[in-house]
Amino acid sequence: MIKGTAASDGIGIGKILLIEEASLEFTPHPVEDPAAEVERFRSAVNTLIAQTERDAAMLRETAGEKEALIMEGHISLLNDPALKGETENLIMGGQCAEEAYSSMCDMFVGIFSSMEDEMMRQRAADVRDIKAGLLRILLGVREVRISDAPKGTVILIKELTPSVTAGIKKGNIVGIITETGGKTSHSAILARALEIPAVLSAANAVSRLENGQPVIVDGSAGIVIPDPSFDQLNEYTEKREAYLRERAELEQFRGRRTLGADGAEYELVCNIGKPEDANKVLDHDGEGVGLFRTEFLFMDRSAIPTEEEQFAAYQQAALILKGKPLIIRTLDIGGDKEIPYLGLEKEENPFMGFRAIRYCLKNRELFKTQLRAILRASAFGDIKIMFPLITCVEELRAGKALVEETKKELTVLGIPFNKDIEVGIMVETAAAAMISDVLAKEAAFFSIGTNDLTGYTMSCDRGNANVAYLYSALQPAVLRMIERTIRCGRQAGIPVGMCGEAAANEMLIPLLMSFGLTEFSVSAPSVLRTRKCISRWTKLEADGIAEKAMSLATEQEVADYLSKVVSAAK
Ligand code: PEP
Ligand code: MG
């Protein structure tokens, strides 16, 4: 068995087609007629642009618009004036086209690879791809096309470039194995869009596997099984069928409203960490965003993002969502979320310490910069503000006062924003759950954060293996916190959602429906599964299940009971 990165779900069973790139080596040679060499270079660029346009059109049909845009990104790189102009300068200085273009591309690859931003590093792979494409044309090397591969082919290749992926015919290629690339590489994105199981970064796969060898690719588990036994073939054939059945069943929930079995409607939104994740929300049929974790904008960089940078990010998410709701949570740092450049003091007890809203209220300028950016973006969509880690009413009041102050400043400056923007809170501390009756009078909405609420209620750190057994949202104590929060929110007439992981827990869903949760916020890939789970129950059935579950004494009893009820309903 060979282990790799699970990059595209599903199971593929087939025979290996090893794709070896022809050598693109060349011997640099001086040119006698630089002007003619520039022409040869330009004509190669034009040929590659034409090829790439064909690839983009093909991808638009097989994978989708977003995937085609990856190839169109290649065209922009090919047209890049710096890359093109500098190459031509080098040629005019006497270098051959191969040498000039290679050295310019290598320089760009070096620059992009050293950048911190994942997207920029991805550009390095794109430049390598166009460099290979152009050298192939200049050297007259026949291109590897996989469009003629027979049915049941598993592609094995060192590095899967978007231009190779573009040649894939969906019905014939049943799996992809590579030696490089991660979950967020363009190859992974394309494999997912084409719904082909893929295991990337499988160590030394090219030397360990052979052309024509039978193989199983488990893209969900990230494993490759060469020469499977009869039993393994049976096992994985069954797994594949179960996977395909489930996917087809879930697809029936695409484009539908989120309804209980009695027709009661719920909101099913998503948690995101970056503005571009809003695209994933739409791809997975989410109805909006219930939690934008803005701390990700502050991570992996060396300085606080400016108001403009933040505004651009919030606006981008709002524009992608086209009027669908977008709840932006203000900076939630501290605890396990470190931002080195803020210079936070080391604390004995970081989860109990100077974090989230506590930090923001003491760092007013940083906080107001974020509020200004969110308010400005509110002119472009249905944006709401949410404060993390609230433990007392004073924190909510202080946060709201800063929102009001910021609004006044924007009004004076004549900058547009939504004057009626709602300000809600996360209920993720035991304190907030206990005083949810009073908080509900001053918050526009609640969103229950079970990830933290479970830890704070059970007084256990989930990173500590010795106490991890306590960390469960099915603990009677946590269930009571959840029930109380939803009841108090309802009594005050405000919507109550949940954005912790528990919102997608199929065992907990009937309880949440019974308690009166109105909004479920889950990771984008969980949308259809959650919609299906919700569709199983009427409110009346959910009430019966909740009553029984709440009468049980231990987490184990609750888990056993709910798992029995859920299995029976499937
Ligand atoms: C939570 O605590 O449940 C939550 C959603 O916030 P985070 O996971 O970002 O701490
Ligand atoms: Mg939290």
Side-chain angles (χ1 to χ4, degrees):
M1 182 167 81
I2 304 175
K3 284 208 166 112
T5 303
S8 176
D9 273 347
I11 286 160
I13 303 175
K15 286 206 172 129
I16 290 203
L17 172 68
L18 171 62
I19 296 180
E20 283 175 302
E21 289 276 330
S23 163
L24 295 176
E25 295 210 344
F26 60 89
T27 318
H29 54 91
V31 290
E32 276 160 24
D33 183 352
E37 188 69 357
V38 165
E39 274 319 305
R40 188 170 82 92
F41 166 66
R42 286 185 185 166
S43 135
V45 170
N46 290 338
T47 308
L48 187 54
I49 289 176
Q51 264 177 25
T52 312
E53 277 168 351
R54 279 199 300 278
D55 286 344
M58 181 145 158
L59 268 182
R60 189 164 277 118
E61 268 180 36
T62 54
E65 177 62 27
K66 222 170 62 230
E67 289 65 32
L69 288 179
I70 295 175
M71 297 311 291
E72 279 169 9
H74 283 199
I75 297 173
S76 318
L77 277 173
L78 283 164
N79 281 322
D80 185 90
L83 184 55
K84 230 167 132 179
E86 285 305 315
T87 303
E88 291 184 8
N89 285 343
L90 290 178
I91 297 175
M92 290 311 285
Q95 287 187 13
C96 65
E98 289 88 342
E99 186 186 7
Y101 199 62
S102 290
S103 62
M104 283 311 301
C105 284
D106 292 346
M107 191 181 85
F108 273 70
V109 167
I111 295 171
F112 287 136
S113 311
S114 65
M115 289 187 176
E116 283 189 3
D117 187 82
E118 165 69 26
M119 290 295 286
M120 291 319 271
R121 284 204 305 271
Q122 183 59 50
R123 298 300 270 173
D126 292 337
V127 176
R128 273 198 297 271
D129 203 4
I130 59 162
K131 171 184 156 188
L134 204 86
L135 284 180
R136 236 180 265 124
I137 294 168
L138 288 170
L139 298 167
V141 172
R142 212 172 69 86
E143 206 195 339
V144 190
R145 299 297 296 184
I146 45 181
S147 43
D148 305 330
K151 275 194 184 319
T153 295
V154 172
I155 293 171
L156 171 63
I157 188 166
K158 250 192 171 47
E159 178 175 9
L160 185 69
T161 56
S163 55
V164 172
T165 323
I168 290 178
K169 269 208 211 119
K170 211 165 154 179
N172 296 9
I173 309 300
V174 296
I176 297 169
I177 308 167
T178 72
E179 281 190 0
T180 60
K183 245 191 156 90
T184 55
S185 64
H186 279 164
S187 324
I189 294 170
L190 288 168
R192 283 196 291 272
L194 291 164
E195 298 174 344
I196 297 176
V199 176
L200 307 190
S201 289
N204 304 319
V206 171
S207 53
R208 290 162 77 183
L209 299 167
E210 278 171 28
N211 219 356
Q213 193 173 13
V215 74
I216 294 173
V217 180
D218 184 341
S220 310
I223 54 173
V224 174
I225 304 174
D227 299 318
S229 67
F230 183 72
D231 285 350
Q232 282 173 322
L233 273 179
N234 278 343
E235 181 192 336
Y236 276 88
T237 305
E238 260 173 43
K239 267 194 186 170
R240 184 181 59 188
E241 274 156 20
Y243 171 81
L244 293 175
R245 243 191 337 267
E246 192 194 358
R247 213 182 51 197
E249 215 183 302
L250 289 183
E251 278 306 309
Q252 294 171 12
F253 286 88
R254 188 180 288 280
R256 300 222 316 235
R257 285 150 64 207
T258 303
L259 304 175
D262 52 6
E265 182 150 13
Y266 300 85
E267 212 180 328
L268 180 54
V269 287
C270 298
N271 299 344
I272 64 169
K274 295 214 169 80
E276 56 272 21
D277 292 346
N279 287 310
K280 287 194 208 144
V281 174
L282 301 184
D283 289 350
H284 286 92
D285 207 29
E287 298 160 21
V289 167
L291 167 64
F292 182 166
R293 290 183 163 100
T294 58
E295 51 278 10
F296 286 103
L297 300 176
F298 288 68
M299 288 176 183
D300 290 333
R301 47 184 293 144
S302 51
I304 297 171
T306 62
E307 178 183 326
E308 282 317 309
E309 283 174 308
Q310 291 190 57
F311 166 66
Y314 307 144
Q315 184 198 41
Q316 185 187 351
L319 292 177
I320 293 171
L321 291 170
K322 295 197 179 77
K324 289 189 162 70
L326 167 59
I327 299 182
I328 302 183
R329 178 174 74 184
T330 57
L331 184 60
D332 182 20
I333 38 130
D336 56 348
K337 297 169 187 161
E338 268 188 63
I339 301 180
Y341 61 80
L342 290 181
L344 288 172
E345 267 175 43
K346 271 260 167 286
E347 298 180 311
E348 284 278 316
N349 220 332
F351 279 92
M352 304 279 175
F354 192 41
R355 55 174 294 201
I357 191 74
R358 304 168 180 186
Y359 177 85
C360 287
L361 290 174
K362 282 267 163 58
N363 288 275
R364 285 168 55 100
E365 276 322 303
L366 173 144
F367 195 26
K368 279 184 69 179
T369 301
Q370 179 170 43
L371 292 175
R372 243 189 330 269
I374 300 175
L375 282 167
R376 284 173 56 198
S378 73
F380 298 88
D382 179 12
I383 290 180
K384 300 178 174 65
I385 298 175
M386 177 159 77
F387 298 142
L389 206 83
I390 293 287
T391 51
C392 58
V393 172
E394 293 90 319
E395 287 169 340
L396 171 57
R397 286 187 187 154
K400 282 175 73 174
L402 283 180
V403 172
E404 286 309 311
E405 198 177 298
T406 313
K407 278 182 176 178
K408 279 199 192 111
E409 289 161 7
L410 288 177
T411 306
V412 171
L413 294 170
I415 296 174
F417 62 92
N418 173 13
K419 295 190 172 47
D420 302 317
I421 192 162
E422 290 185 4
V423 180
I425 62 166
M426 292 206 57
V427 177
E428 55 180 339
T429 63
M434 289 311 291
I435 58 159
S436 49
D437 51 338
V438 282
L439 286 167
K441 296 195 181 111
E442 304 189 30
F445 60 89
F446 286 161
S447 185
I448 304 176
T450 47
N451 306 344
D452 277 316
L453 184 60
T454 304
Y456 287 127
T457 301
M458 298 305 298
S459 305
C460 77
D461 171 358
R462 88 171 120 164
N464 181 338
N466 289 326
V467 296
Y469 69 98
L470 293 169
Y471 188 88
S472 162
L474 298 181
Q475 282 283 357
V478 181
L479 292 180
R480 278 161 179 71
M481 292 287 181
I482 295 172
E483 190 278 332
R484 178 179 170 77
T485 305
I486 300 174
R487 176 162 39 84
C488 290
R490 281 168 53 92
Q491 279 167 359
I494 62 167
V496 183
M498 177 176 284
C499 58
E501 294 299 310
N505 180 335
E506 66 173 343
M507 295 206 277
L508 206 59
I509 283 172
L511 270 61
L512 301 175
M513 292 168 73
S514 167
F515 297 160
L517 197 81
T518 48
E519 177 228 56
F520 293 74
S521 193
V522 302
S523 69
S526 307
V527 165
L528 296 181
R529 186 168 290 113
T530 306
R531 188 171 286 147
K532 180 180 161 196
C533 291
I534 291 173
S535 78
R536 280 195 193 124
W537 313 105
T538 64
K539 174 76 167 54
L540 210 64
E541 286 164 342
D543 285 345
I545 296 168
E547 197 182 332
K548 171 76 181 160
M550 294 302 277
S551 75
L552 299 172
T554 68
E555 194 264 352
Q556 193 60 54
E557 286 170 23
V558 173
D560 290 346
Y561 167 66
L562 290 178
S563 107
K564 214 169 66 202
V565 173
V566 168
S567 303
K570 277 186 186 170

